[in-house]
Amino acid sequence: MLNVRLFQMKSFIPMPYEEALAPRLKIADQWLQSGSGKGGEFTGWVNLPRDYDREEFDRIRAAAKKIQSDSKALVVIGIGGSYLGARGVIECLCSPNYNLKKKDTPNVYFVGNGLSGDALYEVMELIGGQDFSVNVISKSGTTTEPAVAFRFFRERLVEKYGAAGADRRIYATTDKARGALKSLADRQGWETFVVPDEVGGRYSVLTAVGLLPIAVCGVDISGLMAGAAEMMEVCRRGGSDCPAWRYAAARFQLYHTGKKVEILGSFDPSFRFMAEWWKQLYGESEGKEGKGIFPASVEFTADLHSMGQYIQQGERILFETVVRMGPSGHPMAVPRDESDGDGLNFLAGRDMDFIRDRAMEGTLLAHSEGGVPNLIVETEDKSPRSLGQLIYFFEYACGLSGYLLGVNPFDQPGVESYKKNMFALLGKPGYEELAGQLKARLENQ
């Protein structure tokens, strides 16, 4: 089972803080469990691993098998919570080089998460003449980035398969009853999956939003959900033994001692996009009302040779959370070199896990001595079950953290600001007055 350890923490925060925070954590926990706190209408993810729609789950697996049988590529179109979680799981469990590997499952390309014509064109070139399908993910269907990308790839499908053939290769994950994408999907007869009303985008990886592309890659989504259900039961019991309570409490206390930036690190390069998912989860949930810990991420040991200097001796506003996902599937022992020209024969016969773990311990000791507190999040292994535990752990701790901070962990009002300006500058009807104001500001900058 997942565990959270506080590393060399006594010199940074007094240990009895857990007892002092326990009453507040209990209230935050009750708000999550009952849905009675701020944004409670978006806490459907809390019991999701137990209450998810089994019929839809079976349809997800059937759709994944169909895509595997008739497509060499799946284009996943979404932004933010509509793609980060799925990409994180796929890269963590299947490899960052998934598309380059020899396999029986389709390549997966993520688009609609930016506004680069070069990026769209490149994916089209990579697909080439291969058979492909599209999974478009949007609650409304009108979010600019994915909606624009979908126009391009839908047109490509129609050119290749005809209108009727294209309709059989489009899978829409959207609102259950309304919205532009839902209406279009019903009209065209696309297979649809639901973005639940009570689950916000950044908490949606364990819904059809994440599960369909994850299943297409051959990941055991039943194992993923089973692990999440195990962690759900641990969090339901709460208390000082609950890893989500420990993590949320330590983060809150560190924040109030001036540690305003949390760095999430891992010694496994495949964890990179799980860290990207985590950054959205915590940044969008906590960063409001002039409050919040800034979430950043690093890849160790690579970033010890780039960001390591700042972490060790820069401004002391940082704390560090390191995720260690158990032993490698291929630990690999260092070979002996008779000449020992590089002086590394003292490592001969040692496997890479042993070297990694000593590097991790040395890093944490150095950083704590340099004034950076450390938390360690450990899983038993790198499996769907363990990753399901980790996802739910981070989600639950995020909800607790937001309530401890006194903000709504489930809204994101600041995200709309750039959209209004973008619409106005692009000439969208209804934004004419704002467009004039913005153009004047640009001219006078």
Side-chain angles (χ1 to χ4, degrees), residues 372-392:
V372 179
N374 280 275
L375 305 167
I376 305 173
V377 178
E378 299 173 314
T379 68
E380 291 180 3
D381 54 23
K382 190 163 68 173
S383 65
R385 173 178 164 270
S386 288
L387 199 57
Q389 291 178 8
L390 185 69
I391 289 169
Y392 191 89

Side-chain angles (χ1 to χ4, degrees), residues 143-339:
T143 303
T144 304
E145 295 90 339
V148 168
F150 183 47
R151 284 198 175 196
F152 284 102
F153 284 93
R154 185 184 177 197
E155 180 182 66
R156 183 77 171 268
L157 282 171
V158 172
E159 289 173 355
K160 186 173 178 63
Y161 302 105
D167 288 340
R168 290 191 291 271
R169 290 176 172 273
I170 296 174
Y171 302 82
T173 307
T174 187
D175 191 89
K176 65 181 178 182
R178 59 187 181 274
L181 182 56
K182 174 61 175 172
S183 297
L184 182 58
D186 287 347
R187 186 164 66 247
Q188 298 298 129
W190 303 336
E191 183 161 11
T192 60
F193 300 96
V194 175
V195 181
D197 288 338
E198 66 277 11
V199 179
R202 57 189 178 274
Y203 292 84
S204 67
V205 62
L206 297 178
T207 72
V209 170
L211 293 179
L212 178 56
I214 291 169
V216 167
C217 295
V219 173
D220 176 15
I221 58 174
S222 293
L224 199 69
M225 297 302 289
E230 290 171 351
M231 184 53 61
M232 182 191 78
E233 289 304 319
V234 171
C235 291
R236 282 172 64 84
R237 293 194 294 269
S240 59
D241 292 332
C242 174
W245 278 45
R246 298 196 74 199
Y247 181 54
R251 295 178 78 251
F252 180 80
Q253 192 67 26
L254 288 166
Y255 176 68
H256 284 281
T257 63
K259 303 299 183 182
K260 306 294 186 181
V261 177
E262 179 177 11
I263 301 173
L264 185 73
S266 176
F267 284 75
D268 188 335
S270 70
F271 197 75
R272 176 187 173 192
F273 264 88
M274 285 304 301
E276 294 298 316
W277 166 79
W278 171 88
K279 285 194 289 190
Q280 184 196 4
L281 180 65
Y282 279 81
E284 208 166 65
S285 296
E286 290 188 303
K288 53 199 73 166
E289 300 179 24
K291 304 175 184 178
I293 298 167
F294 184 85
S297 63
V298 289
E299 292 180 33
F300 291 149
T301 60
D303 280 335
L304 293 175
H305 296 260
S306 57
M307 297 298 294
Q309 175 61 43
Y310 188 96
I311 296 171
Q312 189 70 37
Q313 294 183 329
E315 192 171 357
R316 300 297 76 189
I317 57 173
L318 311 173
F319 70 96
E320 199 168 42
T321 298
V322 175
V323 176
R324 182 181 182 279
M325 297 199 69
S328 302
H330 305 90
M332 301 186 66
V334 176
R336 174 173 292 276
D337 182 346
E338 291 306 319
S339 67

